[in-house]
Amino acid sequence: MLERWRGTGYLSRMNDHHHGNSLSLTVLVVAGASESCSRLRASIERAGHLVHVSPDRQEGLRKLLEIHPHLLFIESSSGDGEDIALIQEIRTLTKERWVPIIVVASRPGDQTITNAVKSRADDYLSLPLDDDLVAAKLRLFSRMAALQAKSVEISLSPGTSKNNNVPEAVITFNHLECVEDANIAARRMLCGDPSSDLIGRTTIEVFGTNLAQLLSKRKLTLTSASGARFPAQVSLSEWVEDTRPRYTLVIRDLTEQTQIDRMKDEFLATVSHELRTPLASVLGALGLLSAGATGALPESARTLTDVAYRNGQRLSRLVDDILDLTKLESDRLVLMQSPTRVTDLVQEAISANETLALSSKVGLRLDELEQRASDAEVMLDPDRFIQVMTNLLSNAIKHSPSGAEVRVAIRSNDQRITISVKDDGPGIEPNFRGRVFEKFSQADASDRRAQGGMGLGLYITRMLVQRMGGKISVESSPGQGAEFIVDFALNSQYQALAKKRILHIDFDLDARLRVARWFEGKANLISVASYAQAKAQGLDASALIVIANPRAQGMLSDFYEDLRSLAKNQDIFIYSDSVEEASATSLDFQWLSVSDTSQIDFIDAVLFRTKAVLGKATA
């Protein structure tokens, strides 16, 4: 709206004629050639205002759009309907700003005055004209126009953003990709001067890219007013005003955070080189000593050497865990996933842990495989999957009593494969089971503490499994051991579903981007903000699975009916916490809670119809 005011020249004219608390007005008089019209014109000119006279009403409307007057005088006609129609037309043409309308009636108490005021006229005059009354009304509306000019000037001023108290840069774009609002921090960041004006500039002028590309990123490199480039993080709020979308971006300068991350990386590199390298040499030397490379050691010396070697290995694992944890939490761990036979990796992990099992006097056994499980392939990073299995196997071995057996089982159906590791240890207390995969989590039992460690192994295991698109769970009862279960979808399932089309309707752009990441490489996902956008794209409804969040989509009943027309006989998933589950399930829609549904359960429910979130088994 403010840009349209600028384009009319109205603001510049207000500034040119703005004197103190009043304005030199541009006045349009719509009246025929009469003595009263001439007298009105003379009164306006004596007051120092510019007058335009249009004898014809259609000509008056054209003049209205041409000169953009501050005030209108309309001579009342003999027909009330014509006056009302003219006033309503003027209000339609000037809806972006207030233009006072004064009706001039032929005599006091004329019914046309009452009708005109009812139809949104602002004031009236009666013939014969009183020059003092005309002058008083002009002074009044001049002051009001001055206040209006000041209000618009303030609203357009780059220093009056409602977000000026926010320390981070905040910019709002309209549907035309033009800046509507920018706070002081944004102007200082992008212009170097807090008094600079960003209003009206396009996203390309501000960021060097269009809005769609800008919103597809969360971290990007921007250019400051000095020409220096700096890393930034962008978060978005998408909203609607006057049926038009608006996009408010909060931009955070990551220069300091990047420097901190660089220092942390340098520290970790130092740890890796200065600690792991000599530690490997120490472990190698201790291993040679224990193996008798320098000759047979006395029993007491060999015992000490074995203790040192075991603790050196423990320290090495802790260092590896810390490095992996840092990479995982900063999303810098690169996974090299490829279609891989799970059974080959499981057998390799068992072989790698046989020495640990033997030293702990614990057996390792892989249950007999079905052919289907033996041939199953999953999209995995082989090295990281072996790390997962090693963590689970070593954890089971540590908690198994001497003479017990750790059993590994692989089961598969047409859609998924599960790998379980079960021990006969003390089990997990119910009050700790929910925290077993948390960082630095350790049970209070003394036998658990005796095993040492930092409580990172299972946390890293969970993160690795989830990063590879799987899920992990545990089943246990005190005194009856624990069974850790890792679950993945078969690669063949994703290949078969790669061309499946899914329509995701959600007003929240962050939610759309998050779901798009979940389905990347698994299905053809189309994301839109509303049903209207989906219709505008001309989507073939018969081939679509629909995921929708009803929030900010209008009347719920109408929106659900629109979803029916899009999905036809395909599945519809309501993915939301903003409406009641019953409203969706009563229409045979699937219900998925945003807060309670995990990424893997969400994908399973949509792609495989497993309804895992509704309590059914997935394997």
Side-chain angles (χ1 to χ4, degrees):
M1 180 181 75
L2 301 179
E3 290 307 308
R4 287 195 289 270
W5 279 45
R6 278 185 167 150
T8 64
Y10 179 77
L11 295 182
S12 62
R13 234 177 32 266
M14 287 198 298
N15 292 331
D16 292 341
H17 300 289
H18 192 175
H19 303 290
N21 295 325
S22 63
L23 273 177
S24 177
L25 302 174
T26 298
V27 182
L28 176 62
V29 178
V30 182
S34 62
E35 181 181 350
S36 60
C37 178
S38 299
R39 186 172 177 177
L40 177 60
R41 178 171 187 166
S43 296
I44 297 172
E45 288 177 339
R46 278 196 301 272
H49 305 294
L50 179 64
V51 187
H52 296 266
V53 178
S54 294
D56 177 75
R57 296 194 172 204
Q58 291 302 316
E59 173 64 24
L61 292 176
R62 288 193 293 271
K63 205 71 174 175
L64 174 71
L65 298 176
E66 178 184 335
I67 67 173
H68 302 285
H70 302 100
L71 180 63
L72 274 86
F73 286 89
I74 300 175
E75 184 180 32
S76 176
S77 66
S78 57
D80 295 343
E82 293 183 16
D83 293 335
I84 294 173
L86 177 61
I87 292 171
Q88 290 176 342
E89 181 69 15
I90 291 170
R91 289 299 182 218
T92 300
L93 293 175
T94 59
K95 62 182 179 180
E96 303 296 347
R97 60 187 178 91
W98 175 57
V99 180
I101 299 173
I102 300 176
V103 175
V104 182
S106 59
R107 61 184 182 276
D110 195 328
Q111 182 61 36
T112 59
I113 293 176
T114 303
N115 293 337
V117 172
K118 286 182 177 180
S119 61
R120 298 171 63 192
D122 299 284
D123 205 345
Y124 71 93
L125 288 170
S126 299
L127 298 179
L129 292 174
D130 183 325
D131 290 342
D132 291 336
L133 182 58
V134 171
K137 290 185 182 292
L138 287 171
R139 285 194 300 272
L140 172 63
F141 285 106
S142 179
R143 293 192 192 101
M144 295 175 72
L147 290 173
Q148 182 180 19
K150 186 64 176 177
S151 175
V152 173
E153 180 183 351
I154 291 173
S155 68
L156 291 175
S157 171
T160 57
S161 170
K162 59 181 176 289
N163 296 309
N164 277 343
N165 62 327
V166 179
E168 294 175 332
V170 182
I171 301 179
T172 297
F173 292 92
N174 62 18
H175 67 289
L176 299 176
E177 300 192 14
C178 295
V179 177
E180 282 195 346
D181 183 69
N183 68 349
I184 289 176
R187 297 192 302 274
R188 183 181 291 114
M189 173 187 288
L190 299 169
C191 302
D193 183 358
S195 64
S196 298
D197 191 1
L198 285 170
I199 305 299
R201 297 190 188 183
T202 66
T203 54
I204 293 179
E205 292 174 326
V206 177
F207 297 110
T209 183
N210 60 36
L211 188 62
Q213 293 175 332
L214 180 66
L215 299 183
S216 66
K217 304 174 182 178
R218 281 295 171 264
K219 292 185 179 180
L220 66 161
T221 301
L222 300 179
T223 303
S224 67
S226 63
R229 294 174 66 79
F230 64 94
Q233 182 179 30
V234 178
S235 58
L236 170 77
S237 174
E238 185 178 351
W239 48 286
V240 172
E241 183 178 68
D242 297 330
T243 72
R244 300 284 192 180
R246 299 293 191 275
Y247 308 91
T248 297
L249 276 66
V250 179
I251 305 170
R252 179 186 174 200
D253 188 343
L254 295 180
T255 301
E256 183 178 353
Q257 183 63 47
T258 301
Q259 292 173 346
I260 294 173
D261 290 341
R262 185 180 298 113
M263 292 172 60
K264 184 169 66 174
D265 289 343
E266 291 173 354
F267 170 75
L268 291 174
T270 301
V271 170
S272 177
H273 177 73
E274 300 297 336
L275 185 58
R276 294 178 73 179
T277 301
L279 185 59
S281 298
V282 170
L283 288 174
L286 290 171
L288 290 173
L289 285 174
S290 297
T294 59
L297 294 175
E299 184 63 27
S300 58
R302 190 174 63 81
T303 301
L304 291 175
T305 303
D306 290 343
V307 170
Y309 184 74
R310 285 196 303 272
N311 282 278
Q313 287 182 316
R314 178 187 169 197
L315 178 59
S316 180
R317 287 193 297 270
L318 291 177
V319 172
D320 289 342
D321 284 348
I322 293 172
L323 294 174
D324 286 342
L325 177 65
T326 303
K327 291 179 181 178
L328 281 167
E329 292 189 329
S330 61
D331 203 23
R332 290 183 291 110
L333 184 68
V334 179
L335 297 178
M336 307 299 292
Q337 291 183 261
S338 60
T340 308
R341 274 171 42 105
V342 173
T343 53
D344 294 343
L345 298 181
V346 171
Q347 289 171 340
E348 184 176 343
I350 290 174
S351 299
N353 284 273
E354 283 180 346
T355 301
L356 176 63
L358 184 62
S359 63
S360 301
K361 299 180 180 179
V362 173
L364 274 179
R365 176 168 64 87
L366 175 62
D367 288 351
E368 185 177 351
L369 295 173
E370 298 179 355
Q371 187 62 42
R372 180 168 54 184
S374 179
D375 296 335
E377 287 190 347
V378 175
M379 286 294 292
L380 295 171
D381 181 321
D383 292 336
R384 293 300 177 180
F385 181 78
I386 289 178
Q387 181 179 350
V388 166
M389 291 304 303
T390 296
N391 283 346
L392 295 179
L393 290 171
S394 62
N395 185 72
I397 292 169
K398 284 192 302 182
H399 291 85
S400 294
S402 178
E405 185 176 59
V406 173
R407 298 172 300 283
V408 181
I410 304 175
R411 300 180 180 86
S412 176
N413 58 21
D414 293 334
Q415 299 173 348
R416 310 192 65 82
I417 189 168
T418 61
I419 306 96
S420 65
V421 178
K422 184 171 177 21
D423 63 63
D424 293 323
I428 303 173
E429 294 293 334
N431 60 353
F432 180 72
R433 199 175 305 140
R435 297 183 290 116
V436 70
F437 293 111
E438 293 180 4
K439 183 166 52 176
F440 303 121
S441 63
Q442 290 181 312
D444 294 331
S446 59
D447 61 332
R448 167 86 180 198
R449 290 197 303 269
Q451 301 298 331
M454 296 176 63
L456 292 177
L458 291 177
Y459 175 72
I460 292 173
T461 297
R462 177 178 64 84
M463 293 190 71
L464 286 173
V465 169
Q466 291 179 347
R467 284 285 304 274
M468 290 187 288
K471 57 183 177 180
I472 185 169
S473 59
V474 62
E475 296 178 1
S476 178
S477 298
Q480 298 182 18
E483 182 177 17
F484 288 85
I485 303 168
V486 180
D487 184 294
F488 290 96
L490 297 178
N491 184 56
S492 58
Q493 289 297 299
Y494 286 139
Q495 289 178 336
L497 295 166
K499 296 184 179 180
K500 184 178 290 294
R501 293 203 308 157
I502 300 173
L503 174 65
H504 182 207
I505 302 175
D506 199 318
F507 186 76
D508 185 344
L509 178 63
D510 284 331
R512 299 203 304 270
L513 293 175
R514 181 172 62 255
V515 172
R517 288 195 298 270
W518 290 356
F519 282 98
E520 185 176 3
K522 300 178 177 68
N524 178 14
L525 185 77
I526 305 164
S527 293
V528 296
S530 64
Y531 168 76
Q533 289 186 14
K535 289 292 290 182
Q537 293 185 23
L539 298 174
D540 178 12
S542 62
L544 289 175
I545 295 173
V546 175
I547 306 167
N549 188 338
R551 185 179 65 86
Q553 300 291 349
M555 290 292 294
L556 188 61
S557 57
D558 293 341
F559 182 62
Y560 282 167
E561 186 64 29
D562 291 338
L563 296 182
R564 285 286 192 202
S565 68
L566 276 176
K568 298 296 183 185
N569 296 322
Q570 299 295 317
D571 290 322
I572 297 174
F573 294 86
I574 302 302
Y575 180 51
S576 174
D577 288 331
S578 63
V579 297
E580 294 293 333
E581 178 179 356
S583 70
T585 56
S586 65
L587 297 173
D588 294 327
F589 295 168
Q590 301 280 1
W591 171 262
L592 300 171
S593 168
V594 173
S595 58
D596 296 334
T597 308
S598 70
Q599 170 186 345
I600 302 306
D601 283 338
F602 181 88
I603 295 173
D604 286 350
V606 174
L607 291 184
F608 304 130
R609 313 299 190 277
T610 59
K611 301 182 182 179
V613 293
L614 302 181
K616 294 188 178 181
T618 62

